[in-house]
Each structure stands twice: as C-alpha cells, then as structure tokens.
Amino acid sequence: MTDTDVREYAAQAASTDTFGRVLCSARNHHFVVDGPVQNGCPGEAINPAELFLSGVAACGVELVQVLAKAQAVPLHGIAADIRGTIDRSHPVRPDVSLFNSVRLNFRVKGVTEQQAGNWSRPSRAGDRSTARSQLRPRMYRSNSSLKTKLQCYASGCEGSGMLAGEAR
C-alpha cells in the first residue's frame, strides 16, 4: 500500500446559540447548516440532507473529471443534479432517517457517446477498476433506490448527441 492509498478526512460541527443551527468546519472553511423548519429549526441555511446530496454530486463531478483526465478524454464541462426523497411515513429503517430514493443526473460536454457510455454502463461483479463501477454505487440491504442518468452533449448544445444510461 502506498501513501496515496489511504486518505483521511475530518470535519467538525458544533451547536450555536440558535436552536437547530450548526457551525461546521472542514480545514479552514466554515459554514452554517440549519435543520429543517419541520423540526422547529431555522431552515434558512443549507440543511443536512442538502449538504449530504451536495457532497455526493460534488464527488461524482470530481470523479468524472479525474477519470476523463486519466483516459485523455477532452471533457469540456460536467454538471450534476441530485434529488433525494425521505418519506417518513414509509421509512427505509425505523431507527434512522434515510433517503427512500436518490436520483443523480450528470451532463457532460466535449465527449463522445461512446466515451460517456464507458462511465455509465454497469460493471462486472467485483470490477472496481473501471469508471463504470465507480459511478454506480452499490446499495446493500436496503429498500432505497438510486437512479443515475448520464447525458452526453458532444457539441455542448442541449439535446444534441444525447446518451442516457439509466441504472436501478
């Protein structure tokens, strides 16, 4: 194992004088997180669920950039939209709050449909070395569903050269 095989990350969170408002820090970055209004919290700043979803989307965008660079693919841009649903009347588990479903959509520019398809196709079982396996997270022992969609716009024009790979 080399030094780059193990990466450690740290973040901190602390309550504030305002109920449901949390001050978070990671390295030298500081930001406020509010619990949702439904919990009696301010609901003005980003909430924990939105922060989690933002992290997943950011991870996907950064991952595609890294994979494109490693494969010498001329990626001219990537964007991700993510939506999650928590249905408290039908919980995934009764003891914790989990998303019932998450939908993650990627839009990429500057790549061919074949290049983008390499990132969205399901991989063989146990194949962790390909981009395909990295963009398709596994969900074990859960009633949750994850849907991903990759749209390729080689020319950068909306609707041109579109490739959609749907995974359940």
Side-chain angles (χ1 to χ4, degrees), residues 44-152:
E44 296 168 355
I46 190 169
N47 68 43
E50 293 163 336
L51 183 61
F52 175 80
L53 292 173
S54 295
V56 172
C59 184
V61 167
E62 186 266 342
L63 175 62
V64 171
Q65 288 178 319
V66 168
L67 295 170
K69 183 177 180 181
Q71 297 170 6
V73 173
L75 181 64
H76 295 287
I78 179 167
D81 301 302
I82 190 167
R83 291 184 162 290
T85 302
I86 298 174
D87 183 351
R88 294 172 64 118
S89 65
H90 296 93
V92 176
R93 285 181 38 185
D95 54 336
V96 294
S97 291
L98 298 173
F99 287 100
N100 294 76
S101 66
V102 174
R103 177 178 219 88
L104 176 59
N105 295 317
F106 290 96
R107 293 175 314 285
V108 295
K109 290 183 183 178
V111 300
T112 66
E113 291 183 16
Q114 181 180 10
Q115 290 165 325
N118 287 336
W119 298 327
S120 65
R121 274 186 241 124
S123 64
R124 294 180 307 275
D127 182 1
R128 296 188 173 266
S129 62
T130 67
R132 293 175 296 200
S133 65
Q134 295 174 22
L135 280 179
R136 187 167 176 177
R138 308 295 191 262
M139 298 187 82
Y140 296 105
R141 287 179 255 145
S142 170
N143 296 330
S144 296
S145 67
L146 172 70
K147 294 182 180 181
T148 59
K149 183 176 182 182
L150 180 65
Q151 297 174 325
C152 171

Side-chain angles (χ1 to χ4, degrees), residues 1-8:
M1 184 177 339
T2 66
D3 290 338
T4 60
D5 289 337
V6 177
R7 299 176 185 173
E8 291 187 22

